[in-house]
Amino acid sequence: MIDGRIIKFYREKAGLTQGQLCEGICSVTHLSKIERDITEYSGEITYLLSKRLNICLEEETDRYENLQLKLRLWHDALVMQNNQESEKLKSEIEKENLIQLQDFNVFYQLLSVRYYLSHHKLNAAKVIIQGLQKNETVFSPQDRNMFRHVQGIYYFLTGKYRDCIQILISIDQSHYHHFEYYYHLSLAYHTVNANIISYYYAEKVLDYFKKTLNIKRIIDTEMMMLIQLNSKEHHDINETKERYDQLIRTCDAINDKERKSKLYHNLAFDLYRRKEYKESTDYFKKAINLVDEKTPHYLLSLNGMISSNLKGNLISNEKLMELAKKGLNLAKSSKSDLWIPFQLQLFQLNQEDDQYYKLIETTVLPHLKNIGFTTLIEHYEKKLFQYFNQKGETQKALDLAQSYMQSKMSYETPS
């Protein structure tokens, strides 16, 4: 029964002591037991108590149950990435007085973290996470594992990929059945270059998304599987294009321009790796045209388009420098770490080799090692190794060789 908790909530809201509320109705001891739901009580007593509080207990019970339902629906909307429904439910929930009840406190905060993460409001999410960490030991098993899930998403979005993996693999499936977290594991393993295990988790979550009819996340997952399929060696290009085209048509059917842009970007990158620079550039352009300049995805696609044009010698250096300066300014104005690749491109275009490799040594590699981006670490360590060898800086070259050998250790069986 929830009558006692509702009575306690409105008593405290009214600023009444137990003695003040129950005077002439029942004893303080009896009221205390009612509020803690550890005794039998008559409907007449709760009627008199609620009347003194100026509430209708039956209506409040209905509101309580409706609020429970709305919180579950908000969670579903966040997982389905139904932003319109999510905003509507968030607004309705925040207007409910009963949301302050302890019964809803942890779940509501966890959903709020997910909401802020979905809008990339990382500071707001961090504040709530820090507050939740103080009481984690008293969470229910369900809440404890959901907390690990949202922490994993936070770690991924803040570039702490190894922390993301460690927290997500600690989830106890016997108490947590929202297997969406497999997708975030797949993403994190992909980022640290563990492609086989990334594909494994993508397959597992694809089945979950199909069972829950989550079209948007099916697109995300099949896109992830395509990336892994082409990660180590080139899969058949015609089949690859056909699978991308199918996903793009699905995006058109649900009018999802952002996902369509990501698909164009990933296909462009695949073509770039195959040295099909002209076609790669065309797809990067398509990706850019679908998103706002202020978004990180725009910067990623712009960087890719510059690289593809540079490799294919498709446009003049002057035009490439203009695009790189634009990307650099956009990244700095949005306080994004993506200023780094644009600065590297400018150094390359200006043939400023010393500045280029100095930035790699002092900024790029420390940043990548901090976040655990294995693929790019290997790429830049190789470039820097060759540079140090050419410059005759033997000790630095040996240090890098040792670092590279350590990075080749598999991360598929984390300790």
Side-chain angles (χ1 to χ4, degrees), residues 161-163 165-166 189 192 194 197 409-415:
Y161 305 121
R162 289 190 171 90
D163 290 338
I165 290 169
Q166 293 293 349
Y189 275 117
V192 299
I197 198 166
M409 295 173 63
S410 173
Y411 194 69
E412 296 184 18
T413 53
S415 58

Side-chain angles (χ1 to χ4, degrees), residues 142-159:
Q142 165 75 14
D143 288 341
R144 187 178 303 115
N145 286 287
M146 185 174 178
F147 184 40
R148 291 172 183 172
H149 187 181
V150 298
Q151 281 181 293
I153 299 172
Y154 173 77
Y155 287 142
F156 182 84
L157 293 176
T158 53

